[in-house]
Amino acid sequence: MADWIALDRLLIAAQPGRDIGICDGTALDHVAFRLRVLAWHDAFSAAGGRDWALYFDDTVAFAAALFGAWHAGKRVFLAADNLPATLQALQPQVSGFAGDLSADYQPLQATDSAGDDVALLPLDERACELCVFTSGSTGQPSAISKRLDQLAREVDALQAAFGAQLDGAQVHGTVSHQHIYGLLFRVLWPLAAGRAIQPRRFFHEDLVGALAGTDTVLVATPAHLKRLPEQLDWASLHGRLRAVFSSGGPLPEDAARQVRQWLGVAPTEVYGSSETGGIAWRRWDTDAPPWQPLPGVQWRIEEDCLAVASPHLETLDWWRTQDRVEALADGRFRLLGRADRIVKIEERRVSLDALERALREDPEVEDVRVLVLQGQREQLAAVVVPADPALARAGDGARRALGQRLGARLAQGHDAVTRPRRWRLVESLPINAQGKVTQAALVALFQPMMPVPVWDCRDEAAATLRMTLDPALRAFQGHFPQAAILPGVAQLDWAVRFGRQAFVLPVGFQRMDAVKFQRVARPGDELTLHLDWDTGRGVLTFRYTSVHGVHASGRVVFADAH
């Protein structure tokens, strides 16, 4: 393995022969990478303002822009994605954008040429800053500022704990570098350790091909590991897969066993948060293993909750988490659930964790999240993934019956106030790019403006998604009450909204062409929406279909296509 380089001195001098990453299918060495960093350094140095947002699909390109911005004295904001809503929320907080973004945001470009004789000074670890955003698992996402010294010490801890496992291995991931977990494991740690950065993250269907042929490490989330397709040739990876890392949420025991069986390696789970950095780890070579603190992390119990002190925190003060904990005699600990998931409903204390555990024990339940819905009166609600996927697509009667059965079983230990009153059945829990289930996405299932999409494919010019028409959709409210059908105006609106999620569409609307409504769509129907985007003509073509045939089709023409 290449020699270790501290992150603050990574670009001080060219290091011929040290590979940084894969670019266009070939190795990019340190000298070429340094030139890319210098090109971004020059661009950022010439740009006004301190705060800049980055979004890149390619991880190597992202790394060059990140270090170029830091060497130019910029504070970097990581956009979770490049969807219009995300960028519009970021726009008031930053001076500009760089990366794979719509021309509407005038993204900064690296300079055409940069000299390799520029003398870069070591980075000031306490002056270099990065803003990441929490996932919103328990509320609204918020910005978290991280200094380079915090990130560098966490990289040091990861190397001390796991470096021997990764020596000489490539690191592949299903997680995005635009989030703290992916940033550490797929960018900063490989850069310091001399492991080549892989340019993109992988999805299930291309994992086996990507991981085969060389010693490899997989960086994933519980959501991805729970959904490994059984039909892929996982056995071909046995003996070549050095480690599987999981973070971003609790790894279910069943998923850990499945990874151990299919991939031939016990997954290593890393526990922490955007605020605290990494705290502890455990390896699932036995069932329900306890947590081992990462090197340099101190811990204690305060009011039944875990408190930590470590170089990964903003200050040297102790940080008390909301995770309840049990200390073990050997210096390790067990987590007992979230303290902030104990809520009061009509003055009654209710543990959302306990309700979820009770529901998961039911043979009809694959997974579940319980939440509190705000309104004139707070009430509990449950989002359930049925063990039988067909129930999520069934009619109102069958879905209502399952909710009633689950409620009746909970009634053995919970009264009417302390068990869910509203239920939603889904084929899978909604996850974001981090593989996390967010509070906002769960709440949206009970107040849906639009159906929850399941994207089958999405590229620059075409996309296909499926949606189940929930009777609670606002489009059905007040329209044709005698026989609820989906209004045509809603179908047009959804086509454009989903089009904006899939493609970079111009702002200006010009007209609609060849719009036809051929068959009504009713609550409970599963529609497939086919979208095609012609950039040159500025035309979005849409077609709604189902097992019943074509429901609607047409074209939307945008005014400022060119």
Side-chain angles (χ1 to χ4, degrees):
M1 187 185 77
D3 293 336
W4 184 268
I5 299 181
L7 292 172
D8 62 327
R9 304 186 63 85
L10 181 69
L11 279 304
I12 298 308
Q15 305 225 359
R18 184 186 183 96
D19 284 345
I20 292 295
I22 307 299
C23 179
D24 298 327
T26 59
L28 182 78
D29 68 10
H30 187 278
V31 175
F33 179 72
R34 189 172 186 273
L35 287 174
R36 291 188 173 207
V37 172
L38 289 170
W40 278 110
H41 165 267
D42 292 350
F44 279 114
S45 295
R50 181 192 177 205
D51 296 335
W52 285 76
L54 302 186
Y55 180 86
F56 287 82
D57 292 320
D58 185 289
T59 306
V60 179
F62 165 82
L66 173 65
F67 276 86
W70 272 343
H71 275 285
K74 306 300 185 183
R75 179 168 63 173
V76 173
F77 283 66
L78 295 192
D81 50 56
N82 60 354
L83 296 176
T86 302
L87 302 180
Q88 288 164 15
L90 259 179
Q91 203 157 20
Q93 305 177 59
V94 298
S95 304
F97 295 84
D100 301 318
L101 305 164
S102 161
D104 296 340
Y105 294 93
Q106 300 178 338
L108 184 70
Q109 303 296 320
T111 56
D112 291 334
S113 61
D116 59 1
D117 58 347
V118 176
L120 293 176
L121 297 175
L123 292 170
D124 183 341
E125 285 191 339
R126 294 189 63 84
C128 289
E129 290 186 73
L130 181 86
C131 282
V132 296
F133 291 84
T134 62
S135 65
S137 301
T138 57
Q140 290 298 313
S142 57
I144 305 295
S145 183
K146 308 288 285 189
R147 297 187 309 269
L148 179 57
D149 64 317
Q150 296 172 257
L151 299 169
R153 298 298 80 74
E154 187 162 359
V155 166
D156 293 342
L158 294 174
Q159 178 67 13
F162 313 117
Q165 285 180 265
L166 275 65
D167 191 8
Q170 290 187 359
V171 179
H172 291 82
T174 65
V175 296
S176 169
H177 56 253
Q178 298 285 145
H179 301 280
I180 189 71
Y181 173 38
L183 173 72
L184 288 165
F185 276 74
R186 294 189 55 222
V187 180
L188 299 183
W189 188 12
L191 281 175
R195 286 187 288 274
I197 296 174
Q198 301 303 310
R200 66 187 182 97
R201 64 188 181 112
F202 290 94
F203 298 93
H204 287 142
E205 58 273 10
D206 51 12
L207 262 179
V208 170
L211 301 180
T214 184
D215 285 359
T216 303
V217 172
L218 174 61
V219 180
T221 69
H224 299 134
L225 295 177
K226 284 192 301 185
R227 295 174 173 83
L228 294 178
E230 186 174 3
Q231 70 272 17
L232 296 184
D233 183 17
W234 299 112
S236 65
L237 303 180
H238 290 198
R240 307 296 294 185
L241 195 56
R242 296 274 195 87
V244 175
F245 288 98
S246 177
S247 191
L251 180 63
E253 195 164 323
D254 288 348
R257 287 199 200 100
Q258 182 173 281
V259 169
R260 202 165 60 209
Q261 176 185 348
W262 289 4
L263 276 62
V265 61
T268 299
E269 191 175 3
V270 180
Y271 157 61
S273 68
S274 298
E275 295 90 342
T276 63
I279 293 175
W281 65 278
R282 62 179 181 177
R283 186 162 295 130
W284 282 86
D285 41 18
T286 61
D287 289 343
W291 292 97
Q292 170 76 38
L294 283 167
V297 176
Q298 298 175 277
W299 68 277
R300 67 189 185 193
I301 299 176
E302 294 181 0
E303 298 183 11
D304 296 327
C305 288
L306 179 70
V308 295
S310 84
H312 316 159
L313 288 163
E314 186 177 6
T315 70
L316 298 177
D317 297 334
W318 286 85
W319 175 287
R320 191 168 79 195
T321 73
Q322 290 296 309
D323 293 317
R324 296 180 297 114
V325 69
E326 172 193 9
L328 302 179
D330 60 1
R332 296 184 293 176
F333 59 83
R334 295 191 186 278
L335 294 174
L336 305 177
R338 296 279 295 180
D340 58 4
R341 300 204 77 215
I342 296 176
V343 298
K344 276 193 174 182
I345 303 292
E346 298 184 16
E347 306 307 315
R348 304 282 295 280
R349 285 170 61 85
V350 183
S351 168
L352 303 184
D353 285 335
L355 280 171
E356 290 177 358
R357 282 196 300 271
L359 286 167
R360 287 194 188 100
E361 290 173 358
D362 193 292
E364 291 196 274
V365 175
E366 175 71 23
D367 202 355
V368 63
R369 290 291 189 278
V370 178
L371 64 153
V372 179
L373 293 180
Q374 305 294 330
Q376 291 183 337
R377 175 186 295 180
E378 289 185 334
Q379 58 180 317
L380 294 171
V383 179
V384 176
V385 180
D388 179 1
L391 277 174
R393 303 186 297 270
D396 291 351
R399 291 186 293 162
R400 190 180 303 112
L402 176 57
Q404 290 171 346
R405 291 197 298 274
L406 295 176
R409 290 164 194 162
L410 283 180
Q412 299 174 22
H414 300 80
D415 62 24
V417 173
T418 60
R419 63 178 187 262
R421 295 185 179 184
R422 298 183 64 186
W423 301 82
R424 285 288 181 273
L425 272 58
V426 295
E427 292 186 70
S428 60
L429 294 174
I431 60 173
N432 63 10
Q434 288 173 274
K436 289 191 173 185
V437 180
T438 67
Q439 182 79 358
L442 293 174
V443 170
L445 292 173
F446 293 89
Q447 302 172 327
M449 294 279 295
M450 296 173 63
V452 177
V454 178
W455 294 92
D456 290 328
C457 65
R458 181 163 40 172
D459 58 32
E460 293 181 355
T464 304
L465 62 127
R466 289 173 289 120
M467 64 189 84
T468 299
L469 300 184
D470 191 321
L473 282 165
R474 292 189 186 180
F476 289 122
Q477 309 308 311
H479 291 276
F480 318 107
Q482 293 80 14
I485 65 174
L486 182 65
V489 66
Q491 297 178 56
L492 286 167
D493 179 57
W494 294 353
V496 174
R497 288 178 182 269
F498 285 128
R500 291 198 183 280
Q501 291 184 26
F503 317 118
V504 179
L505 301 185
V507 175
F509 167 83
Q510 189 175 77
R511 67 180 187 275
M512 294 179 294
D513 283 342
V515 175
K516 298 179 182 178
F517 298 103
Q518 296 153 276
R519 185 173 277 104
V520 298
R522 302 183 185 279
D525 284 349
E526 182 177 287
L527 300 184
T528 298
L529 174 58
H530 307 268
L531 296 169
D532 294 285
W533 170 237
D534 186 330
T535 304
R537 296 168 55 215
V539 175
L540 176 70
T541 303
F542 68 90
R543 188 172 81 261
Y544 289 92
T545 64
S546 76
V547 294
H548 306 297
V550 178
H551 290 261
S553 61
R555 297 189 295 270
V556 181
V557 183
F558 292 87
D560 50 348
H562 303 289

